[in-house]
Amino acid sequence: MTGVPASATGGTSRPTPRGKLGAVAVDQASLWNIANILTMVRLVLVPAFVVLLLQDGGHDPAWRAWAWAAFAVAMITDVFDGHLARTYNLVTDFGKIADPIADKAIMAAGLVSLSALGDLPWWVTAVILARELGITLMRFWVIRHGVIPASRGGKMKTLAQGTAVGMYVLMLTGPLATLRFWVMTVAVVLTVLTGLDYVRQAVVLRRRGLAAERAAAERSEAAAR
């Protein structure tokens, strides 16, 4: 039974195709939800942000202000899309893949562009990007054993990175230029510390997972005897 009344199908007895079409329609609706749309907007903003930032050699205050606006919108959508997806049960496979890609893409675009312009030391960009890439690979390493939840330190790291990069995008001078240096310093320190903590948690999680697998195998062997 498909739950579709005979009257709704014109009295015919072909409910299965309709049921399949209905399932497809539901899948399509779940993909085009507000959380995924915000993620797609963030992905589109990445090249737009880079183009705005590099206009006229990358040193025009007006274009840099527009680039900051694009970066700020991207950061705001990052906050809201995950919250909406969790609150209203809008989590999809597309969102699970696209959301972290969009997050890392906009941050990487900002860091690399600023370093290419000479506004940010390359070692800062290298440290942050190496950490993000390493943690991504670490997730794949331990994913069959479990998922490490986002920590408060990780959220503070993301906030510090976004604030620092945004301040570097703007052509600040005087005390504000000094302030952005210290905000970036905090972001780098949090990046390293949270990365080390993630490695520690990943190692512990993997050891526990392997121990549980060995215990399960031993129980299966004992039962087989």
Side-chain angles (χ1 to χ4, degrees):
M1 295 178 63
T2 64
V4 180
S7 58
T9 60
T12 63
S13 57
R14 294 185 297 174
T16 302
R18 187 177 182 94
K20 289 182 179 179
L21 290 173
V24 172
V26 169
D27 289 341
Q28 290 174 345
S30 65
L31 175 63
W32 292 98
N33 62 60
I34 184 61
N36 286 346
I37 290 173
L38 289 177
T39 298
M40 286 183 247
V41 168
R42 193 156 72 259
L43 286 169
V44 171
L45 282 173
V46 174
F49 162 69
V50 173
V51 169
L52 291 170
L53 181 60
L54 300 181
Q55 280 294 314
D56 290 339
H59 299 290
D60 186 309
W63 285 112
R64 296 279 287 250
W66 282 109
W68 177 87
F71 184 81
V73 171
M75 291 295 99
I76 292 171
T77 61
D78 181 26
V79 173
F80 282 102
D81 62 357
H83 174 73
L84 290 170
R86 291 186 298 271
T87 302
Y88 298 101
N89 194 27
L90 301 176
V91 178
T92 63
D93 289 338
F94 171 82
K96 291 177 184 177
I97 297 172
D99 183 65
I101 290 175
D103 297 344
K104 290 173 176 56
I106 190 67
M107 189 60 63
L111 291 167
V112 171
S113 297
L114 289 169
S115 292
L117 291 171
D119 294 340
L120 187 68
W122 275 107
W123 71 264
V124 173
T125 295
V127 167
I128 294 177
L129 294 185
R131 186 269 191 195
E132 298 302 331
L133 177 60
I135 295 306
T136 299
L137 296 175
M138 187 77 67
R139 287 195 178 100
F140 286 108
W141 185 52
V142 301
I143 193 167
R144 71 188 183 94
H145 302 296
V147 177
I148 299 175
S151 65
R152 181 175 298 180
K155 294 176 181 178
M156 291 175 60
K157 177 269 300 180
T158 301
L159 177 61
Q161 285 182 359
T163 303
V165 170
M167 293 179 74
Y168 270 86
V169 169
L170 292 172
M171 300 188 72
L172 302 177
T173 58
L176 289 177
T178 302
L179 176 61
R180 75 181 182 181
F181 166 80
W182 289 110
V183 174
M184 182 59 79
T185 299
V186 171
V188 172
V189 171
L190 288 174
T191 296
V192 173
L193 292 179
T194 55
L196 292 174
D197 181 63
Y198 195 101
V199 171
R200 179 191 62 80
Q201 293 185 65
V203 170
V204 171
L205 180 62
R206 186 171 186 272
R207 285 177 178 172
R208 289 176 180 172
L210 291 175
E213 289 176 0
R214 285 194 296 268
E218 290 172 359
R219 286 195 297 269
S220 297
E221 290 177 4
R225 293 181 193 141

